[in-house]
Amino acid sequence: EEIPIAIVGKYFDTGDFMLSDAYLSVIEAIKFAAWKLGRKPAIHWLNAKDFEADAARAGLDALRRFAGIIVPGGFGETGVEGKIEAIRFARENKIPYLGLCYGMQLALVEYARHVAGLDGAHTTEIAPDSPHPVIDIMPEQKKLIAEGHYGGTMRLGAYPALLSRGTIAREAYRAGEISERHRHRYEVNPDYIVRLEAAGVVFSGRSPDGALMEIAELPRSAHPFFLGTQFHPELQSRPLRPHPLFVAFIKAAIERENLMRLTENKKRKQCRHILYFFCISVESSVRCFFITSIAAFVSPSPPFLRRSISSPIFLKSCGSCEMSPVICSRCAAGISFSFHFAYWLRRKLWMDMK
């Protein structure tokens, strides 16, 4: 069975072409994890810029049809606000979300703005003068960048991280210490860690010295799967050894897909019940119409008819209630409709005759 996954990125469009291999390692990591779980991924490439304009944000509702959403890594301001809107939609609508590098940073920016109450929160990569720079360059790197020395300012290669117990990350890895590959310059600002944690963010992965935040997530009590990594887990995913975070993400997506199908089936069942009751009501109306019409024509007023239809003779004539002293629920709707229609028709004909 297919599992629909959306990748909200910025490097897809080049002129009239869609470069689906711009995030090739991410796409392959999704495939490996889905195949392990016996599913075929139906990957949809969505341009983040399409969600930036006010009018385009209404199109975010289309994200409901996906079982999971991924925001991969990147640099620069193009499509940033569109990504943030997509992240917010995933968080508020409980859609499984996996943020990779930039995807984690923007998830924290979104959470800081809309949950932690930090208006104007941003990354200094985009807004150097942000009142709340939740994502920033580490102090030791700022001096080098200020002098124009960008070489050696990125965190590259494999770095260790310690995982907290009772978290989604720890459950996925089944280990307390991991090593993952990095390629980024900006980090979670240490000045905002306590405020973000107070608002509900769980930093489940940290550097051994506790200074760098490696994984951020929301507890399952708040969201089924909302997790971001500062590193690139896709770089260590293999066909026969898919990355555990991608496997956990696809599992959450499958659970959402199953829940969506269950809800849809329940709605269809309810519609069938309503249609069945309607058909029964119509059937009862047809059965009762002639008897009720005769009673309506001969009765001087509606109360007389109400007394007459409560009699066993009338109910037996209806063909559904047999000799029961109480009108059955199937006949009640038909009798009520037929009576009022016939009584209106009698008055209409009487007035025409006058």
Side-chain angles (χ1 to χ4, degrees), residues 220-263:
R220 281 206 172 98
S221 58
H223 197 287
F225 190 97
F226 191 92
L227 184 143
T229 66
Q230 185 59 83
F231 49 84
H232 291 270
E234 68 274 14
L235 299 180
Q236 295 201 58
S237 190
R238 301 292 183 269
L240 301 180
R241 185 169 46 85
H243 196 282
L245 288 182
F246 277 90
V247 174
F249 169 72
I250 295 297
K251 282 183 179 178
I254 292 174
E255 291 177 2
R256 170 177 167 78
E257 182 75 1
N258 292 338
L259 181 61
M260 291 170 61
R261 289 181 180 178
L262 182 64
T263 303

Side-chain angles (χ1 to χ4, degrees), residues 76-117:
E77 63 180 337
T78 303
V80 163
E81 293 301 325
K83 291 181 180 180
I84 291 175
E85 289 296 324
I87 294 169
R88 181 182 184 181
F89 189 88
R91 178 181 58 80
E92 293 180 342
N93 292 278
K94 304 294 189 294
I95 302 174
Y97 172 78
L98 179 61
L100 308 175
C101 196
Y102 208 17
M104 167 186 152
Q105 295 176 358
L106 294 181
L108 292 176
V109 169
E110 187 280 322
Y111 200 85
R113 289 181 182 179
H114 303 118
V115 180

Side-chain angles (χ1 to χ4, degrees), residues 298-321:
V298 300
S299 65
S301 64
F304 177 83
L305 180 60
R306 293 193 186 99
R307 290 194 298 271
S308 66
I309 64 175
S310 64
S311 66
I313 296 176
F314 181 85
L315 296 177
K316 183 176 178 60
S317 300
C318 121
S320 296
C321 303

